[in-house]
Amino acid sequence: MSRRYGGNPAGTVILIIADITALILILWIAFYLFDANTANGTVSWVHDAANWLSGWSHNLFSIDSDNWRTVVNYGLPAVVYLLIGHAVAGRVGRS
């Protein structure tokens, strides 16, 4: 972990935030695909957080399959947050 998150402390914070954000979105995709109980507090919290984090990408594409729609609506923001977070952390680390 020290190697991946080592270096500039600001860059480290940005990387950790980007990774946690993507993890929340990916967790919701897994919970949805495996039909997790949404009455469970943890599942409900992850769903609410994922909805908030991915609000800008909902219904960006017209997809008939509920499973694929969920993967795209939550997976796209996960990838975007990772790419932007890691790019910004890289720039911060060089300065």
Side-chain angles (χ1 to χ4, degrees):
M1 185 160 140
S2 64
R3 184 169 184 168
R4 177 173 181 172
Y5 293 117
N8 186 320
T12 300
V13 169
I14 293 167
L15 283 176
I16 291 171
I17 290 170
D19 290 350
I20 290 172
T21 301
L23 176 65
I24 290 169
L25 293 162
I26 292 166
L27 262 175
W28 172 245
I29 293 170
F31 285 162
Y32 183 85
L33 293 176
F34 291 109
D35 201 26
N37 179 8
T38 54
N40 177 283
T42 302
V43 175
S44 178
W45 183 88
V46 169
H47 183 222
D48 291 343
N51 274 338
W52 185 79
L53 291 167
S54 65
W56 59 269
S57 70
H58 283 218
N59 300 318
L60 197 58
F61 301 101
S62 298
I63 301 171
D64 292 330
S65 166
D66 290 340
N67 287 347
W68 278 111
R69 185 172 36 253
T70 299
V71 169
V72 170
N73 283 339
Y74 295 94
L76 176 65
V79 170
V80 169
Y81 289 133
L82 282 174
L83 290 175
I84 291 174
H86 284 251
V88 170
R91 298 280 298 195
V92 168
R94 284 190 289 250
S95 56

